[in-house]
Amino acid sequence: MLQGDTRLMKAKADLAAAEAADDGNAIGEAHAALAEAGYFDAPARAQALLLGLGFTLEQTQHPVNSFSGGWRMRLQLARALMCPAQLLLLDEPTNHLDLDALVWLEAWLQRYEGTLLIISHDREFLDAITKVTLHLDDGKLTRYTGGYTAFESMRAERLSQQQAAFNKQQDKIAHLNKFIARFKAKASKAKQAQSRVKALERMEKLAPVLTASDFQFSFPEPASLPNPMMAIKDLACGYHREGLAPLTIVSDINRSVLPGQRIGILGANGQGKSTVVKTLAHMNKPISGEITEGKGLSIGYFAQQELDVLRMDEGPMQHMIRLAREVGPNAREQELRDFLGRFQFTGDMVNQPVSQFSGGEKARLVLALIVWQRPNLLLLDEPTNHLDLTTREALSMALNEFEGSVMLVSHDRALLREVCDEFWLVAKGQVSTFDGDLDDYQKWLQEQAREVAQAARAAREANRNDKAQASVPTTPAAPAEAAPPLARGKEDRKAQAQARQRIAEQTKPLKAELKQLDQRLAKAHEEQAALTDSLANPGLSGAARAEQGKRLKTLGEEIEALESRWLELTDQIEQLEA
């Protein structure tokens, strides 16, 4: 993070060079430059940015290679925000953020005083922070005043005017051609016909309005709608660990999913939203509890990481053939090709390896695989991460017309508003009903942040007061009937020994678990580093790369959960010993 502040890094380099040259003037100037660059508050600024984007205090000290790709993208974003700049360029900064971090980033960018140039497919985000929209279409850049909603309205009006002008010109051309064709053979009208020909040649031809073909799709009507779709009793979700007790992330889930429900799942990153969805989708085994599925339940699962369901060395057609054969319904190759065409996979693209696809193309293929299975319950984990605005709108329309049930994890507020009519909150290891809408949730997040900040300030103040009191010598008042000094000393030592014994007994199981966590974390970090090095090998096959990618993602989530538990145990031990 500190290296992201280029002005600060230059000042430090100048100071080192001045000291090496023993140049007093240069040393003085370098110190002044360091102060101007905010040398003394730089660590605090860096920490504030990292905490705002979802990192924990302990994670700020972890090596970068211990983080997953999504967290590294957050770090890159934080480095860009750390650099003092007059021009800030952001390309899809929200893709790997949860709703909490997105709200924080939005507020930070609203306060940014420089020029911001941003590419994003999040319309609410764009409306909140932009005042000008540049539209790139057909090799031309057009400037519109206002955010995305204003752009949509003005562009629709401009297209309407352009189409009207084109139609009017076509009528005029048709009239001129008719005149030329009718009178060019007549001597009396030949001169006028010739002038019409020249007028036609000089006329600047307007092009018809050719907008990009909108992407549309729909979910077929489910074969059945069991009631309830799913009954969840005393469910605990987490990770099974070899040689260790299971790691529970969320527990005591007692819920029912009914036909037609539209459920948005809210919660900060790391609280277990994806873990819950994976467990319901049979990707993770439950730690305990029961999931009772209605007769005829068919689940369509969209994974946050496409690697979880796609094979990188195969093309869309191979995916469809295998799906039709193993899951159904069966179909001829031409039917599968026609179906893929509806999702904009045409021609040779149907046999192109998925590894060569963009993020949006991979997401469209996952959607195609889900639609083919004719599900009645959709479990969608960040489905819009790589989708453009047109595809997001198509997904929103398809979900609204879908007759089954939807459970949606997303940081796309427009999609959540348009699709969901109730929300579940995953927080503090529990799942509860959130009474309110997204605006209420954002207010709740702000209140939580204020409470955390106030608690931190109170703790710092209490710590300062304790230190101040400890530094002032005090003379205790003598008791009414003071015991002899020697006897009192023995009693004090005995009481202290008993207190230490009680603390040792209370902290012993916690320290034992902490030791196990340390061992598991060391192994996990070692395996993570080995997998990262292995993935850099260009000779690795596509199938092996996909498997290792899955394992790397699982490891990242497990490490995050282990570290969270490590922090809890450390806090408990410190409180007991204090």
Side-chain angles (χ1 to χ4, degrees), residues 287-306:
I287 301 297
S288 61
E290 299 176 6
I291 303 174
T292 305
E293 297 182 350
K295 186 178 180 181
L297 181 70
S298 174
I299 294 175
Y301 171 55
F302 188 105
Q304 185 173 357
Q305 299 294 333
E306 292 88 356

Side-chain angles (χ1 to χ4, degrees), residues 252-552:
D252 298 325
I253 306 175
N254 289 280
R255 297 262 152 183
S256 293
V257 181
L258 305 177
Q261 274 189 297
R262 301 287 194 274
I263 302 166
I265 303 180
L266 306 175
N269 196 62
Q271 292 296 317
K273 302 187 299 293
S274 295
T275 305
V276 171
V277 172
K278 279 185 175 182
T279 305
L280 299 180
H282 309 300
M283 300 295 286
N284 286 355
K285 290 182 180 178
I287 301 297
S288 61
E290 299 176 6
I291 303 174
T292 305
E293 297 182 350
K295 186 178 180 181
L297 181 70
S298 174
I299 294 175
Y301 171 55
F302 188 105
Q304 185 173 357
Q305 299 294 333
E306 292 88 356
L307 283 175
D308 288 353
V309 294
L310 296 180
R311 299 188 184 185
M312 295 296 108
D313 56 340
E314 294 184 1
M317 181 58 75
Q318 288 172 285
H319 281 83
M320 289 301 304
I321 290 173
R322 185 175 58 258
L323 182 66
R325 184 175 61 246
E326 295 177 0
V327 180
N330 285 316
R332 300 191 310 275
E333 184 173 326
Q334 186 57 48
E335 290 179 278
L336 298 177
R337 187 178 288 273
D338 293 342
F339 177 77
L340 287 169
R342 289 165 48 194
F343 289 85
Q344 299 181 343
F345 296 105
T346 57
D348 294 337
M349 198 176 182
V350 298
N351 294 313
Q352 187 177 336
V354 169
S355 59
Q356 298 176 13
F357 286 175
S358 67
E361 289 165 340
K362 290 176 185 174
R364 282 208 313 275
L365 178 55
V366 174
L367 285 174
L369 297 176
I370 292 173
V371 170
W372 181 263
Q373 296 173 65
R374 202 175 175 184
N376 47 31
L377 172 60
L378 293 173
L379 303 176
L380 308 178
D381 189 359
E382 296 291 358
T384 63
N385 264 359
H386 300 285
L387 300 181
D388 59 26
L389 277 160
T390 301
T391 312
R392 288 186 184 206
E393 288 166 6
L395 175 62
S396 176
M397 290 174 63
L399 290 176
N400 279 319
E401 294 170 1
F402 177 57
E403 295 183 12
S405 302
V406 178
M407 296 181 71
L408 174 64
V409 177
S410 179
H411 65 262
D412 187 328
R413 287 164 294 179
L415 184 67
L416 287 168
R417 288 184 204 278
E418 292 164 8
V419 172
C420 301
D421 47 36
E422 62 180 293
F423 295 100
W424 292 0
L425 177 63
V426 182
K428 299 178 181 178
Q430 304 289 320
V431 176
S432 59
T433 300
F434 184 80
D435 294 322
D437 57 17
L438 281 182
D439 294 329
D440 296 321
Y441 179 63
Q442 288 186 207
K443 291 174 186 173
W444 180 81
L445 288 176
Q446 291 166 354
E447 289 170 5
Q448 294 293 305
R450 277 196 294 270
E451 288 176 10
V452 170
Q454 288 170 359
R457 281 196 296 271
R460 286 197 298 270
E461 189 65 31
N463 191 38
R464 278 197 296 269
N465 292 339
D466 290 344
K467 288 180 179 178
Q469 290 173 6
S471 65
V472 178
T474 58
T475 305
E481 295 183 23
L486 184 61
R488 193 165 60 245
K490 285 181 179 179
E491 289 171 4
D492 288 346
R493 286 194 295 274
K494 184 178 179 181
Q496 289 171 0
Q498 289 173 342
R500 284 195 297 271
Q501 181 64 29
R502 282 197 304 272
I503 291 169
E505 289 172 357
Q506 289 173 322
T507 59
K508 185 177 179 180
L510 300 178
K511 288 181 176 179
E513 186 180 351
L514 193 64
K515 186 177 180 181
Q516 282 188 333
L517 284 173
D518 282 329
Q519 292 171 349
R520 178 59 190 143
L521 275 168
K523 288 181 181 177
H525 281 305
E526 188 178 333
E527 184 182 353
Q528 191 179 50
L531 282 171
T532 302
D533 292 339
S534 176
L535 285 169
N537 179 9
L540 195 66
S541 70
R545 190 178 298 276
E547 286 301 317
Q548 291 188 9
K550 287 182 187 177
R551 178 57 184 157
L552 192 61

